[in-house]
Amino acid sequence: MNRENRRAVVLLVLGVALLANPLYLYPDGVSSEKTYTYEASAVDYLPHTADAFYRVKSCGWNPLQSAECASIIDMARGDPVELELDPDRDVHPEFWSFDYVRTDGRYFEPNATLDGRTLTLSLHPVSTETVKRDLSEDLDESPRYVRDAVRNGSSTVSGSELYETETHYVESEGRYYVVEPVESERVPTGWGWKTPSDAAIEAMRLAAWIGGVACVWRAGEWTERGREQ
């Protein structure tokens, strides 16, 4: 192996090492992990949590959002909708895709009854307290970091303990709380020194990737020179 080929091999090995930098340059779960701070606030309203988004149909917006809301508003005013079904058509047990409706500042529970072949759709008023109680979590059944936040005002939890970061709506002794993540940070774990910020890590990885591409390119040039010798 001549000198040019030796240089090509060295540059190729260095280039591959630089391109593989995510495996050793502050890899996730080795040098650091994220921690999240949750804060609890007492509230007297129904917050916009993910659970409420899927279980409560809101038709109070202006302009009118959908044709579905048009019929819902009509039913909320006391006008049920009746449909005559074909003899061979049944009604799915989960006919409604939501548990509650909010319109005109009030909450309603949707109802569907089948009398013979006549399907009647209607809305029954329910209290705000009923909806809040149904959509809230029991504090005793909530994750530890949620219980700690309600009792202490805030809590910290590592990312490894979370399935996903989400806002919790909980009830404790007749009071309701929103527990939500307010900040996150990286903390060192196994390597014993302070981990740089995400932006700094990404910059280092990008620089290493560019350097790796340059080394591989130069390795190809030295290989060509070696063939000419």
Side-chain angles (χ1 to χ4, degrees):
M1 181 182 293
N2 56 32
R3 184 177 62 180
E4 286 76 11
N5 285 336
R6 285 196 296 271
R7 288 181 177 178
V9 170
V10 172
L11 287 171
L12 179 61
V13 172
L14 179 59
V16 171
L18 290 173
L19 290 174
N21 74 83
L23 298 177
Y24 58 83
L25 183 59
Y26 296 103
D28 293 337
V30 174
S31 63
S32 66
E33 68 177 1
K34 272 192 173 182
T35 61
Y36 297 85
T37 299
Y38 278 76
E39 289 187 355
S41 304
V43 296
D44 58 2
Y45 58 87
L46 187 65
H48 297 290
T49 61
D51 191 40
F53 177 80
Y54 288 107
R55 296 181 61 189
V56 179
K57 176 69 175 179
S58 180
C59 289
W61 301 100
N62 186 22
L64 193 62
Q65 296 169 298
S66 64
E68 183 181 37
C69 277
S71 60
I72 284 175
I73 292 174
D74 197 38
M75 285 187 284
R77 293 170 179 168
D79 297 322
V81 174
E82 293 187 351
L83 300 173
E84 291 296 325
L85 302 182
D86 295 334
D88 59 346
R89 184 177 294 276
D90 293 324
V91 178
H92 194 278
E94 297 181 3
F95 179 80
W96 297 98
S97 60
F98 41 82
D99 295 334
Y100 299 100
V101 172
R102 186 178 189 277
T103 182
D104 295 333
R106 296 181 297 164
Y107 288 96
F108 299 84
E109 187 174 20
N111 186 46
T113 58
L114 186 60
D115 183 9
R117 303 314 303 161
T118 301
L119 175 65
T120 302
L121 308 180
S122 59
L123 297 177
H124 298 299
V126 293
S127 67
T128 302
E129 183 63 26
T130 297
V131 179
K132 290 165 60 177
R133 186 167 53 248
D134 187 25
L135 296 186
S136 62
E137 307 173 37
D138 189 312
L139 182 63
D140 293 334
E141 298 177 0
S142 300
R144 176 192 54 79
Y145 63 89
V146 174
R147 299 195 301 270
D148 290 345
V150 171
R151 291 163 182 162
N152 305 320
S154 65
S155 66
T156 301
V157 60
S158 66
S160 60
E161 297 180 57
L162 293 175
Y163 176 71
E164 62 179 345
T165 56
E166 60 180 332
T167 298
H168 295 263
Y169 180 53
V170 298
E171 182 272 334
S172 176
E173 298 179 351
R175 300 190 66 185
Y176 296 91
Y177 300 85
V178 170
V179 181
E180 55 189 341
V182 293
E183 64 179 1
S184 64
E185 64 175 343
R186 283 184 176 271
V187 295
T189 54
W191 288 6
W193 59 71
K194 184 175 177 59
T195 305
S197 65
D198 290 344
I201 292 175
E202 292 302 321
M204 286 188 286
R205 288 180 175 176
L206 177 61
W209 187 85
I210 294 174
V213 171
C215 287
V216 172
W217 182 275
R218 290 290 292 169
E221 291 183 342
W222 280 107
T223 299
E224 290 298 323
R225 292 183 184 182
R227 291 175 181 173
E228 295 173 357
Q229 296 297 323

